[in-house]
Amino acid sequence: MAPPLEDHQMEEEEQRPLLTRALHRSATNNTSQVAMVGSNPCPIESLDYEIIENDLFDQNWRTRSKVDQVRYVVLKWTFCFAIGVLTGIVGFVINLAVENVSGFKHGAVSALMESTSYWTAFWLFAGSNLVFLLFASSITAFVSPAAGGSGIPEVKAYLNGVDAPNIFSMRTLAVKIAGNIAAVSSSLHVGKAGPMVHTGACIAAIFGQGGSRKYGLTCRWLRYFKNDRDRRDLVTIGAGAGVAAAFRAPVGGVLFALESLSSWWRSALIWRSFFTTAVVAVVLRLFIELCGTGRCGMFGKGGLIMYDVSTIFDDLMTYHLKDIPIVILIGVTGALLGGLYNFLMMKVLRVYNMINEKGGAHKLMLAATVSILTSCCVFGLPWLAPCRPCPTNGSPDGTCHALNRFRRFHCPPGHYNDLASLFLNINDDAIRNLYSTGTSDVYHPGSMIIFFVASYGLGVLSYGVVAPSGLFVPIILTGATYGRLVAMLLGSHSGLDHGLVAILGSASFLGGTIRMTVSVCVIILELTNNLLLLPLVMLVLLISKTVADSFNSSIYDLILQLKGLPHLDGHAEPYMRQLTVGDVVAGPLRSFNGVEKVGNIVHILRTTGHHAFPVVDEPPFSPAPVLYGLVLRAHLLVLLKKREFLPAPERYPKEYVAAGRFLAEDFDKRGSGKQDTIADVQLPSEEMEMYVDLHPFTNTSPYTVVETMSLAKALVLFREVGLRHLLVVPKACDRSPVVGILTRHDFMPEHILGLHPVLLGSRWKRLRWQKGVVAKYFRSLLVWITNSG
């Protein structure tokens, strides 16, 4: 128990304003560097985009000719072309497989329903869904857990500088493709757009591995890409290509990568990304034309426009000034629904994570439970909908099965079930039905209410299953249903076509959940092929995003936080301006001399997990201790393996490096998951007593900050340059030449607030409504109403 005097001092300290309180550093801080990647926890590391300058790499750059530079540029554009071709092919194969597998399943169910074999139809439907989802969950849980989910949070974290094992491996790519086909074909309320982003990023990352020595698939040219900077650019391009393949929206793909994923962007990267998405569009167009002759089974016909609403009923795609209040209402309501959707999604994902942590059997049981629940809803709810006669513009034989892919279900000939037409279809066909113009009397309001509630609830419950699954398409579908429902409720008060309002509903719900504006606007325009929608879509997106940001973050940012991925935001928290870098730098600091004993290097590498160490020159190599630079752990391992040691503490001769004893390619960064470890180094005792000169391999120009710099300013430098290590140097000259090293972990709020809990009250609120604030205003409203009465 603290003495009374200390209690009194603590109470006085708590009553002082935050900006004037003394900073009491916590004794310990136990924040973790393990995150959920896919469906499994695993250790994470940071990427290093800094250009290393030392004697060895300077020598390598001086020896490169003009031919090498041209070859490097040509290879970059060649890789972009190959990424576009392969991503387009994979996107086509996924769409082809989903439409054929789902088409055969729904065709068989419809045939059984027409023959009044209702229970047989249900068991076939539920059984096939269960098999598909268990297959997707099994290969994800036991073959490649990194393939679980949409993959967009992992890609976004990677482009922010966070690396994790196997997120872009060949195994992950294969599981992502097969698992996504199976999951979407299982009638689960998930999409294929998010996994396509991860798939495109995987394809690009494989090109950035620089070949494979194990399989002999490498050459001297490919080593140019064995660095984090070029791999980051390729992954950005691949992610944009994935969006283009998913939505057939090349411009939207570029903007999606720019707005939502990338933390660094250059004009040259825009050109290459645009070229890649254009290649994707050409490849998709080629395969779509090949399928136009009926060679692709049940693959849908049509061009690059997925939900074309411009070719028919052009006169219905109009609006007037009096419709603007309705559009504003759609935006506000979409924001409220989106904020609630994100809130519920986080609650469900936390429960799912606790279940999934218990092992593979629990993962499969959860998947089976969600599959059975989904099958019961999808097959059972259409029984509540009335049978409706086919529209007058149906087919000549009196049926309407071909019109907008309507389903007869249990209805008599010449009738259709509107709920079955939405439930017993793949998501793309359901969205196409809802977007259709001139169909204001096709759906019953009760059916729209049932489908909206079911779509909203199943979307929240389906995403956390251990399988490749996306959020984008289910959100579009739910938003389109909400838009249709709003149009029905307004009735004669609005002259907007129901299909147009459905598109606006999708835009508002996307803005309320994903919180993107420019890229979503362009994707919707490319999906629908109607520029007349541009002003309304822009207005809806701006309103929905602005209102929804008052409640919580975007769904992808929330998932990043839930997974524990240390993503650095573009803004600094207010409390960071109250701290200096010296307040958060952690110790003890391990450093090396310019000429270091081999045994000391081995000991420090074995007893620490640090990835970089300051190199300090001391007498006799300098008159006083001076910071020479920063040496990486990976480079130290290469030096130990090469065993070019010195018998005495002296520097290498100047011609030692130029003689070819060390090659720059020996120090190139290897692909993800292929790093060397200190356990691979076995040295005899006599070599442990020898020395190694670190000067030629030390980065002589690392980024440094003085210890009195504000943490907010250091964060801007760290994030904008894309650093992994930031050296902190002292203000005074009579101290050690280096105080410590800042890493990504040191900028995370959990770490900072763990060291300085007194700052917890000054976190950035982003003007969001907290539960206490809402309750306060509600009580004030009740008091005002009472007093007025």
Side-chain angles (χ1 to χ4, degrees):
M1 178 178 295
L5 179 59
E6 294 184 9
D7 285 343
H8 179 68
Q9 292 175 344
M10 292 173 62
E11 291 177 0
E12 289 184 346
E13 186 70 25
E14 291 178 356
Q15 294 174 0
R16 296 176 63 186
L18 284 172
L19 291 174
T20 61
R21 293 184 194 175
L23 294 177
H24 301 290
R25 180 163 177 161
S26 176
T28 60
N29 178 38
N30 298 319
T31 52
S32 174
Q33 297 190 36
V34 176
M36 290 290 296
V37 178
S39 60
N40 269 18
C42 65
I44 55 176
E45 295 182 0
S46 295
L47 301 171
D48 196 349
Y49 302 132
E50 182 181 0
I51 297 177
I52 295 177
E53 296 178 346
N54 57 34
D55 295 344
L56 180 65
F57 286 96
D58 289 346
Q59 173 73 17
N60 178 63
W61 277 104
R62 285 193 294 267
T63 58
R64 290 190 180 183
S65 62
K66 288 287 186 181
V67 175
D68 293 324
Q69 298 175 17
V70 172
R71 184 182 297 144
Y72 171 67
V73 174
V74 171
L75 272 178
K76 286 197 291 188
W77 286 97
T78 303
F79 281 177
C80 291
F81 177 80
I83 292 168
V85 171
L86 291 178
T87 305
I89 293 174
V90 170
F92 170 77
V93 169
I94 291 177
N95 280 284
L96 178 68
V98 168
E99 294 207 16
N100 277 284
V101 172
S102 298
F104 283 122
K105 180 185 69 176
H106 291 144
V109 171
S110 297
L112 290 172
M113 291 296 295
E114 291 178 4
S115 63
T116 67
S117 301
Y118 299 142
W119 280 108
T120 305
F122 170 73
W123 291 120
L124 173 64
F125 180 73
S128 59
N129 290 342
L130 182 62
V131 170
F132 287 142
L133 186 56
L134 286 180
F135 169 75
S137 298
S138 298
I139 61 175
T140 303
F142 300 112
V143 179
S144 179
S150 69
I152 289 181
E154 285 80 1
V155 174
K156 185 173 182 178
Y158 180 88
L159 295 179
N160 190 255
V162 180
D163 193 15
N166 301 318
I167 57 173
F168 297 133
S169 66
M170 186 70 74
R171 179 183 299 177
T172 300
L173 175 62
V175 172
K176 201 76 178 185
I177 296 173
N180 189 28
I181 293 172
V184 176
S185 300
S186 69
S187 296
L188 200 67
H189 204 65
V190 296
K192 51 185 181 292
M196 269 306 307
V197 174
H198 193 184
T199 299
C202 285
I203 294 173
I206 290 172
F207 278 97
Q209 296 299 311
S212 172
R213 294 181 180 179
K214 180 179 179 181
Y215 299 104
L217 301 175
T218 185
C219 68
R220 191 170 63 90
W221 297 358
L222 296 179
R223 63 169 293 266
Y224 298 151
F225 296 88
K226 290 188 175 182
N227 61 82
D228 289 334
R229 296 181 306 280
D230 286 314
R231 288 170 182 164
R232 174 192 64 190
D233 291 348
L234 289 176
V235 169
T236 304
I237 291 169
V243 176
F247 294 115
R248 307 173 194 174
V251 180
V254 177
L255 294 176
F256 184 90
L258 169 62
E259 182 180 7
S260 178
L261 300 177
S262 181
S263 298
W264 300 276
W265 198 267
R266 307 188 315 277
S267 58
L269 191 58
I270 295 179
W271 279 103
R272 292 200 294 272
S273 182
F274 186 74
F275 169 74
T276 306
T277 56
V279 172
V280 172
V282 172
V283 171
L284 289 175
R285 179 68 181 180
L286 173 63
F287 282 104
I288 289 172
E289 288 186 356
L290 292 177
C291 290
T293 57
R295 301 176 183 176
C296 302
M298 297 185 179
F299 182 74
K301 297 181 180 180
L304 280 175
I305 312 302
M306 294 184 67
Y307 316 124
D308 196 345
V309 299
S310 65
T311 56
I312 56 175
F313 306 113
D314 280 334
D315 58 323
L316 298 176
M317 303 301 294
T318 57
Y319 50 89
H320 305 281
L321 187 61
K322 65 178 182 180
D323 298 319
I324 298 301
I326 298 174
V327 175
I328 295 176
L329 174 64
I330 292 173
V332 173
T333 309
L336 298 177
L337 292 173
L340 178 62
Y341 189 90
N342 292 359
F343 173 78
L344 296 176
M345 179 74 75
M346 289 303 100
K347 296 296 184 181
V348 171
L349 288 180
R350 286 189 176 92
V351 175
Y352 284 5
N353 284 345
M354 291 189 292
I355 297 174
N356 293 331
E357 287 175 357
K358 297 180 180 180
H362 288 80
K363 294 178 181 179
L364 297 183
M365 289 176 61
L366 176 61
T369 302
V370 174
S371 176
I372 294 172
L373 175 63
T374 302
S375 297
C376 291
C377 290
V378 171
F379 194 89
L381 291 178
W383 292 91
L384 303 177
C387 294
R388 300 168 65 86
C390 290
T392 56
N393 57 349
S395 56
D397 60 355
T399 64
C400 53
H401 303 161
L403 179 62
N404 287 330
R405 296 176 176 83
F406 286 151
R407 300 294 179 184
R408 176 180 161 188
F409 203 58
H410 67 293
C411 297
H415 293 71
Y416 70 96
N417 186 306
D418 54 358
L419 262 183
S421 302
L422 297 174
F423 275 124
L424 297 177
N425 260 324
I426 61 174
N427 287 337
D428 288 344
D429 289 341
I431 295 171
R432 192 174 291 110
N433 289 345
L434 293 171
Y435 282 1
S436 298
T437 54
T439 57
S440 299
D441 57 346
V442 167
Y443 299 99
H444 190 275
S447 299
M448 284 293 96
I449 294 175
I450 294 174
F451 186 74
F452 171 73
V453 174
S455 179
Y456 196 96
L458 291 177
V460 172
L461 295 175
S462 299
Y463 180 74
V465 173
V466 180
S469 54
L471 287 169
F472 215 104
V473 173
I475 289 174
I476 291 178
L477 178 59
T478 305
T481 310
Y482 145 71
R484 276 265 177 178
L485 183 58
V486 169
M488 291 179 178
L489 294 177
L490 291 175
S492 59
H493 298 286
S494 172
L496 296 173
D497 182 79
H498 289 196
L500 170 61
V501 182
I503 297 172
L504 297 179
S506 294
S508 69
F509 201 47
L510 284 169
T513 52
I514 300 178
R515 313 289 167 81
M516 293 184 297
T517 53
V518 179
S519 57
V520 169
C521 181
V522 174
I523 288 174
I524 289 178
L525 294 181
E526 290 185 288
L527 284 174
T528 58
N529 193 29
N530 196 311
L531 281 176
L532 294 175
L533 301 174
L534 179 60
L536 297 186
V537 172
M538 291 174 62
L539 179 61
V540 162
L541 284 170
L542 288 172
I543 293 173
S544 61
K545 173 178 167 48
T546 303
V547 175
D549 278 340
S550 302
F551 296 96
N552 49 37
S553 302
S554 73
I555 186 65
Y556 293 132
D557 290 340
L558 291 174
I559 294 175
L560 275 171
Q561 297 173 13
L562 184 64
K563 287 177 172 288
L565 293 167
H567 184 275
L568 292 179
D569 293 328
H571 68 275
E573 297 279 356
Y575 58 75
M576 289 186 177
R577 301 194 179 278
Q578 306 176 38
L579 298 171
T580 65
V581 293
D583 293 325
V584 299
V585 68
L589 179 67
R590 300 296 183 92
S591 62
F592 292 122
N593 295 318
V595 178
E596 186 60 77
K597 195 173 184 180
V598 174
N600 292 341
I601 296 177
V602 173
H603 172 72
I604 291 179
L605 293 183
R606 285 177 177 173
T607 55
T608 67
H610 305 316
H611 291 272
F613 304 89
V615 176
V616 179
D617 266 342
E618 297 182 349
F621 299 104
S622 67
V626 60
L627 175 64
Y628 186 81
L630 192 72
V631 64
L632 299 181
R633 183 187 190 92
H635 294 178
L636 291 173
L637 292 173
V638 173
L639 291 176
L640 293 177
K641 284 190 172 183
K642 293 187 75 69
R643 298 187 177 185
E644 294 287 344
F645 304 141
L646 298 170
E650 58 187 10
R651 298 190 62 166
Y652 288 132
K654 292 184 178 180
E655 65 276 4
Y656 204 82
V657 175
R661 290 180 177 269
F662 300 99
L663 300 177
E665 50 261 36
D666 295 332
F667 295 84
D668 289 339
K669 184 169 183 178
R670 304 177 64 182
S672 178
K674 303 176 183 177
Q675 305 304 320
D676 295 325
T677 63
I678 187 61
D680 302 328
V681 178
Q682 300 294 333
L683 298 176
S685 57
E686 56 270 17
E687 289 187 348
M688 298 285 278
E689 299 297 323
M690 300 181 73
Y691 296 85
V692 59
D693 182 11
L694 300 180
H695 293 94
F697 318 102
T698 299
N699 182 12
T700 57
S701 57
Y703 284 89
T704 60
V705 295
V706 69
E707 61 180 338
T708 55
M709 177 184 284
S710 71
L711 193 61
K713 194 173 181 180
L715 172 64
V716 174
L717 173 65
F718 191 92
R719 186 182 186 276
E720 293 301 323
V721 181
L723 301 178
R724 184 175 186 178
H725 307 98
L726 184 60
L727 288 176
V728 180
V729 296
K731 185 79 170 179
C733 300
D734 56 348
R735 297 172 54 191
S736 172
V738 58
V739 175
I741 299 180
L742 289 176
T743 64
R744 173 179 298 267
H745 180 65
D746 297 309
F747 292 100
M748 300 310 296
E750 295 80 7
H751 171 76
I752 300 171
L753 298 176
L755 294 174
H756 305 286
V758 69
L759 297 173
L760 186 62
S762 63
R763 293 200 65 179
W764 179 245
K765 301 295 191 306
R766 293 190 66 184
L767 301 179
R768 287 180 181 147
W769 291 97
Q770 307 296 322
K771 290 186 289 186
V773 176
V774 175
K776 174 184 175 182
Y777 280 103
F778 184 71
R779 287 194 299 268
S780 300
L781 178 62
L782 292 179
V783 171
W784 179 80
I785 293 175
T786 304
N787 294 336
S788 298

